[in-house]
Amino acid sequence: MYEIFSHPELRRYKTSIFSKATLLMLAILILTFIPPLLIVYRSYGFWLREATYREQPRVAFKKEFILILDLQNGQNPVVYSTFQHYNQLVQSYLRIPVVKAREEDINGDGKYDSLSLDIDVPMNAADQVVGVKLVLFFYYKLRRFSQFHMESLGYIDYSSSVPGGSLQVFSDLRLRQKQLLGYRGTDTRYNNTLVDPASPYAETYSLASIFKAYSSRNVTTLLQDPMKIWSAGRAGDSPFRVSVLVNYPEEVISYTPGFWYLIKWGWVQYVSVLLIFLYIFNKVKVFVFQHQVVATVVETPITSSLGRKDKFS
Amino acid sequence: MQATGLIPARFLTIIAHLVLVIVILWTRDENIKMSLAEEYSQSEFDQKNTEFIVALSITLGLFAVELIGFVGGVTMFMSFQGLLSTAAHSAAAIALSYFLFDQWPCEWYWYIFGFCSALPAITEAVYIIGILCFRKGF
């Protein structure tokens, strides 16, 4: 003989509203649903306040820059910028270079991946260049979560005791966040231009005031770990060349996740502990009611047909 | 059907709770320090110390009441009191383990005392008086 089939039989326990059994059941319900919440909350990480995602930003070179070349022996610096008013203010130091800028989209995904910039500044034979300061302006856009548009800077700075003929810089444009970004909406806090091209005041174009405003921002970009090559010595009249290669890599961006993301992961944590408690207290309930620790009316399938008109349910 | 599995469970949880209370009685310094400010004076320490010792001693007294009722056989077979006692003492055992390892401040002990020592002892006392004086359960 073997067991061919089995199915559960239901035993019902009934009681009135005001009884020890109801009180016990209430206590068990509280003990089943509240402790998992306490456990999950007190073990940290219940609300995920920070999450990260990867995105390649849309970067475009604004075709604006400020170039300052420092000359040896305390001579006046050589200055050039793409701002007409500034050029008029520093007329005596101005030299007009030949500028070539090219942005490339290497993998064809519609976003630029690198910038090649070549600046050839005409020089006299007596000029000895010992330092370069170059500020580049970019448009920076992130799209996936919040629509984040900003205008940002890249700053290259090099000085040497040996006069040189060219500076080559290779670097990446990296995002620097001091604050989490949002998960929706448009964020154009930093979309205002750092240098107003219509302003005739020297104050606007000074590097100090630009950097002061820039460093107070919570989200900025910077040219990280640039590799610089300074070639010493320059032949007589040949121009001073500044070559910059800036890559726009994919970034890991930290943001505050949205409401349903938080709820989803909080629910997962809660339910996984709740299942254990439900199992344990189910065993407790079976023990309590089966052994009649509290008095209830027991109704088995046999006794359920007592007192009914038809005995088939 | 008598819930005879409840009796060893009740005994084990009472003993576990008792052992934890005795251990806490011996190593109560950290708990007292957690409830004082960083800079404390010896008199503040002594005051908290006395308060804590009083709490633990009352707990031991209530244990005596409950053990007399249980081991003496008075309420050994009362299943509802058995269930209540088991639940209260197991909750106390868990809470006191946290109390000991996470070094909770000694004020929080009063809550554990209220729910897990005083409650079963009071119901135990009520049952004992009921049985001895009013012949309940006979």
Side-chain angles (χ1 to χ4, degrees), chain A residues 20 24 42 284 287-288 290-294, chain B residues 1-3 5-6 79-80 83 102 104 127:
Chain A
K20 261 199 265 189
L24 187 68
R42 282 189 61 100
V284 168
F287 179 83
V288 166
Q290 199 172 25
H291 294 98
Q292 288 290 290
V293 175
V294 283
Chain B
M1 212 184 327
Q2 279 184 324
L6 205 47
S79 45
F80 185 70
L83 185 70
D102 282 0
W104 287 358
Y127 266 111

Side-chain angles (χ1 to χ4, degrees), chain B residues 7 14 20 27-29 63 65 75 80 82 90 92 95 111 119 131 135:
Chain B
I7 294 166
I14 290 181
L20 274 167
T27 58
R28 58 183 184 272
D29 279 349
F63 262 117
V65 170
T75 52
F80 185 70
S90 49
Y111 292 99
L119 184 65
I131 290 170
R135 304 200 158 241

Side-chain angles (χ1 to χ4, degrees), chain A residues 215-232:
Chain A
S215 63
S216 66
R217 290 184 174 186
N218 280 325
V219 187
T220 56
T221 59
L222 74 161
L223 292 173
Q224 195 172 59
D225 300 328
M227 294 184 271
K228 301 177 203 167
I229 306 173
W230 180 260
S231 63

Side-chain angles (χ1 to χ4, degrees), chain A residues 73-220:
Chain A
N73 302 328
Q75 293 168 294
N76 294 324
V78 171
V79 177
Y80 176 72
S81 80
T82 50
F83 303 109
Q84 294 312 312
H85 288 275
Y86 185 45
N87 289 348
Q88 276 170 351
L89 285 167
V90 295
Q91 247 169 8
S92 47
Y93 311 137
L94 191 67
R95 305 236 183 127
I96 313 285
V98 177
V99 180
K100 280 181 268 187
R102 189 175 80 246
E103 282 180 294
E104 284 176 347
D105 179 11
I106 296 164
N107 50 12
D109 60 350
K111 300 181 195 171
Y112 291 126
D113 295 311
S114 71
L115 164 71
S116 305
L117 181 66
D118 293 312
I119 306 175
D120 289 321
V121 189
M123 290 275 142
N124 303 325
D127 294 328
Q128 310 282 355
V129 184
V130 287
V132 179
K133 291 192 182 63
L134 178 60
V135 179
L136 301 168
F137 294 86
F138 297 95
Y139 285 123
Y140 195 91
K141 286 199 186 103
L142 293 169
R143 284 295 184 77
R144 230 168 101 190
F145 283 90
S146 64
Q147 306 274 339
F148 182 73
H149 296 181
M150 76 167 166
E151 189 190 293
S152 69
L153 285 190
Y155 177 56
I156 297 160
D157 175 28
Y158 188 81
S159 68
S160 151
S161 46
V162 176
S166 79
L167 175 68
Q168 293 173 282
V169 182
F170 304 91
S171 142
D172 295 335
L173 187 72
R174 304 304 305 272
L175 182 72
R176 210 246 222 101
Q177 287 176 272
K178 297 181 208 168
Q179 197 184 53
L180 296 175
L181 292 179
Y183 68 99
R184 62 167 178 190
T186 57
D187 191 347
T188 50
R189 285 173 289 169
Y190 305 125
N191 206 19
N192 47 320
T193 173
L194 285 154
V195 176
D196 180 8
S199 157
Y201 303 110
E203 212 14 62
T204 332
Y205 305 101
S206 86
L207 289 187
S209 55
I210 297 174
F211 290 159
K212 185 169 171 203
Y214 194 61
S215 63
S216 66
R217 290 184 174 186
N218 280 325
V219 187
T220 56

